[in-house]
Amino acid sequence: MDADVIVVGGGLAGLVAADELVRAGKRVALLDQENPANLGGQAFWSFGGLFLVNSPEQRRMGIRDSLDLAWRDWTGSAGWDRLDGSLPEDEWAIRWGRAYVEFAAGEKRHWLRRHGISLTPMVGWAERGAGQARGHGNSVPRFHVAWGTGTGVSEPFADNARQAASSGKLSFHHRHRVDHLVVEGGRVTGVSGAVLAPDDAPRGAPSNREVIGDFTLKAQAVVLATGGIGGNHDLVRRYWPERLGTAPASMITGVPAYVDGRMLDIAGDAGARLVNRDRMWHYVEGVRNWAPIWPSHAIRILPGPSSMWFDALGRRLPFPALPGYDTVATLRHLRTTPDLAQHDHSWFIVTQKILEKEFALSGSEQNGDITNRRRLALLKSRLGKGAPPEVDAFKRNGADFVVAERLEDLVAKMNGLTETPLLDAALVRRQIEDRDAQIANPFAKDLQVMGIHNSRRSLGDRLARTAAPHRILDPAVGPLIGVKLHVLTRKSLGGLQTDLSSRVLTPDGQVLEGLYAAGEAAGFGGGGLHGYNALEGTFLGGCIFSGRAAGLALAGAV
């Protein structure tokens, strides 16, 4: 045996699994097709959002939360409906979902602190929902941000792996691409594949695929923590569900190119069961990065509730397709409305005041104050005047941003970003004036304006994430800013079906001995613990929870 356990994938889920195994005294071989600079995977690039329930941070802001409320929100959002037959696809997903929400309401915060992860005092309100008590969405703010953003979550485990390697407890095998699982007597006993040529590309940048050799490694068990399909648009289109209409002809990419989904089919060929592959989580608020690292590099705008959202033809999007409310419903509206299917974009129109208060950009590199743990800079950028420097840089340099003092001039510039002019300035003005007429009172019939008032009842949102209600066409809060939005590929919500020990199952429901899966490759657990919708702050947590489960199970099994 080359190791007790082989872990394939150096992202957060793989690192957490490896950490548990090393702590238990097991010898670990960690393989990744990229170079050492990429240790930490997608998590490194993330905003560092973590889903927690009834936390001290929530209570300090007057937020009343509970396991019962969170579970109601989770089940209403997941919408698990594949429960028929002797081997339902959602059987294990439901068990994983319940276990994860209990973790988030229980030991998760203490576990994070014990592993060197601390939280900012901010609690955000993501995925506010579809407007029904039992439907999709968070009833209360639950989005906690780690100090250090994604680096603050991934680097403690990356550091532990490096220390384990220096002491001989873990061996790194970078630039090793797994092409096959070794199966002997119905049990997975190792991996084989290609050794790729060295490549010193910076973190996240594409690397070469030149093969310079081959390898085979053996172990008592293999953990697959190889992520999803977001970097592979061909796979995204292959599994794009009919319920979301047609896939856009043009998409931008929210993950590095190495998030290619290769291992899913490789595991399937070895006898693993894949479920819910049509469940995906792609964002509709993507903008092109003006300083890209990987091909079609996308950044997601994390919007507050005030931006006015228009489709490609200049019509205001209907509820619940509002900023920060219901991601999948918005994607479905944009892709299934007949006269929009040929268009791959939509628009935000905001004021400078909204931009300054409500625009956050998803990603560690777009939030230098939090990533670098500069507390005074955080207070200045989030509570002071002016936009955060990263947001201002996009306003000045981003290909999808236009600025003007007058609405008609703004619409003309917006039309300049499309092949043909699609927007009618008079139609856009009429809709904005209708909305502005709702601002004079602290009550309104406009659902978005009602949501703004509701948001400002939350202390955290009032301080840092929701601008005071104002008229979009008030010159005092200008200039006006138009933002062209694209579909941004990101997460897979389905994958390898696993039991609660992260053991991979076969199509007949049996355990595929020797094979475990964690993170996005396992649909974050069970092949789909999120169901059809995610409540945000749940992806890093899902990697942690499923990687931990795999490591703990294997610690006692090998």
Side-chain angles (χ1 to χ4, degrees):
M1 293 290 175
D2 297 290
D4 294 321
V5 179
I6 294 169
V7 176
V8 185
L12 180 59
L15 290 173
V16 171
D19 189 63
E20 293 289 352
L21 289 162
V22 168
R23 289 172 185 266
K26 307 300 180 182
R27 294 181 303 123
V28 177
L30 196 154
L31 282 66
D32 199 285
Q33 64 182 343
E34 299 304 320
N35 65 26
N38 288 278
L39 200 61
Q42 286 178 249
F44 181 94
W45 296 103
S46 75
F47 190 43
L50 293 160
F51 177 90
L52 291 166
V53 177
N54 193 26
S55 70
E57 289 77 16
Q58 286 175 298
R59 294 194 294 272
R60 279 195 289 269
M61 291 191 170
I63 300 165
R64 298 186 181 95
D65 201 4
S66 68
L67 171 61
D68 177 71
L69 183 61
W71 180 238
R72 289 175 185 274
D73 288 347
W74 195 282
T75 55
S77 298
W80 294 297
D81 57 4
R82 294 170 181 173
L83 301 170
D84 296 331
S86 59
L87 296 168
E89 290 192 43
D90 280 336
E91 175 184 2
W92 286 101
I94 293 174
R95 299 184 197 184
W96 271 93
R98 178 66 188 188
Y100 178 69
V101 176
E102 289 177 351
F103 178 62
E107 66 173 306
K108 181 178 179 181
R109 186 177 183 277
H110 175 71
W111 190 92
L112 293 170
R113 291 176 65 85
R114 186 158 48 88
H115 286 79
I117 299 166
S118 58
L119 304 173
T120 70
M122 298 189 303
V123 182
W125 197 352
E127 287 298 294
R128 298 163 193 244
Q132 297 177 339
R134 188 64 178 173
H136 168 58
N138 284 296
S139 297
V140 299
R142 296 190 176 107
F143 189 87
H144 299 65
V145 179
W147 277 116
T149 59
T151 72
V153 178
S154 65
E155 280 300 288
F157 299 102
D159 287 342
N160 288 352
R162 297 182 188 106
Q163 292 171 11
S166 67
S167 62
K169 300 174 183 177
L170 180 148
S171 59
F172 283 118
H173 300 264
H174 294 291
R175 303 295 290 160
H176 280 57
R177 186 187 69 199
V178 174
D179 296 325
H180 305 282
L181 296 176
V182 179
V183 182
E184 299 173 317
R187 181 184 183 89
V188 175
T189 60
V191 297
S192 64
V195 179
L196 303 179
D199 195 312
D200 61 359
R203 180 189 289 273
S207 62
N208 75 70
R209 289 295 179 262
E210 178 187 352
V211 176
I212 60 172
D214 54 37
F215 72 93
T216 299
L217 293 173
K218 293 291 195 73
Q220 297 180 59
V222 174
V223 179
L224 299 182
T226 51
I229 66 174
N232 186 334
H233 289 193
D234 289 338
L235 277 183
V236 170
R237 290 190 171 91
R238 181 186 305 174
Y239 293 106
W240 189 275
E242 185 178 348
R243 66 181 177 275
L244 295 181
T246 58
S250 174
M251 297 181 284
I252 54 179
T253 311
V255 295
Y258 59 71
V259 185
D260 55 19
R262 291 181 66 256
M263 281 307 304
L264 295 175
D265 287 330
I266 291 170
D269 291 341
R273 187 185 190 198
L274 289 152
V275 296
N276 300 317
R277 299 192 74 175
D278 62 319
R279 293 181 185 167
M280 306 175 181
W281 193 254
H282 304 308
Y283 294 108
V284 282
E285 312 101 327
V287 292
R288 292 170 288 176
N289 194 344
W290 63 273
I293 297 170
W294 55 79
S296 300
H297 189 168
I299 297 295
R300 184 205 173 196
I301 296 172
L302 299 172
S306 304
S307 300
M308 291 200 70
W309 205 336
F310 298 89
D311 66 27
L313 302 179
R315 300 169 303 202
R316 191 178 177 193
L317 268 57
F319 183 87
L322 301 178
Y325 275 73
D326 192 331
T327 294
V328 170
T330 307
L331 179 61
R332 182 169 56 246
H333 174 79
L334 293 173
R335 299 311 309 159
T336 61
T337 302
D339 58 356
L340 293 179
Q342 62 182 307
H343 305 296
D344 296 338
H345 68 280
S346 59
W347 296 97
F348 277 167
I349 292 181
V350 303
T351 64
Q352 177 69 22
K353 185 174 182 179
I354 292 172
L355 181 91
E356 293 176 359
K357 191 80 165 183
E358 299 193 7
F359 268 38
L361 299 173
S362 181
S364 55
E365 81 278 25
Q366 302 299 332
N367 294 276
D369 49 4
I370 308 175
T371 300
N372 297 309
R373 306 180 192 229
R374 300 196 304 264
R375 286 167 168 79
L376 290 179
L378 173 65
L379 291 173
K380 180 180 179 181
S381 67
R382 312 290 161 151
L383 302 181
K385 292 184 177 181
E390 296 86 355
V391 173
D392 188 63
F394 265 82
K395 175 189 167 186
R396 289 183 286 105
N397 304 314
D400 295 313
F401 286 69
V402 292
V403 182
E405 296 292 340
R406 295 178 62 253
L407 180 63
E408 284 69 22
D409 295 334
L410 184 78
V411 171
K413 290 184 176 181
M414 293 164 68
N415 278 328
L417 297 185
T418 56
E419 290 185 4
T420 58
L422 300 172
L423 303 176
D424 177 3
L427 172 62
V428 174
R429 173 174 285 279
R430 183 163 64 250
Q431 293 170 99
I432 294 178
E433 288 177 343
D434 286 343
R435 178 265 188 202
D436 281 359
Q438 297 286 304
I439 295 298
N441 297 288
F443 43 83
K445 70 177 182 180
D446 184 282
L447 286 171
Q448 184 175 9
V449 175
M450 291 166 63
I452 295 169
H453 291 303
N454 190 35
S455 179
R456 286 181 59 82
R457 293 188 179 97
S458 167
L459 178 61
D461 267 34
R462 185 169 70 252
L463 290 176
R465 291 290 288 140
T466 307
H470 60 273
R471 292 183 296 111
I472 299 293
L473 297 180
D474 182 354
V477 294
L480 295 168
I481 300 136
V483 187
K484 186 180 181 184
L485 305 173
H486 310 261
V487 174
L488 174 160
T489 61
R490 182 62 64 84
K491 300 287 183 180
S492 311
L493 299 187
L496 294 163
Q497 191 174 48
T498 59
D499 65 12
L500 286 175
S501 295
S502 290
R503 298 183 299 178
V504 173
L505 304 180
T506 64
D508 62 359
Q510 302 302 306
V511 172
L512 181 52
E513 296 292 341
L515 187 63
Y516 293 69
E520 199 174 345
F524 301 90
L529 69 80
H530 298 95
Y532 288 96
N533 294 281
L535 287 178
E536 294 290 30
T538 53
F539 297 131
L540 296 181
C543 288
I544 287 169
F545 188 59
S546 57
R548 173 177 174 267
L552 289 174
L554 278 165
V558 300

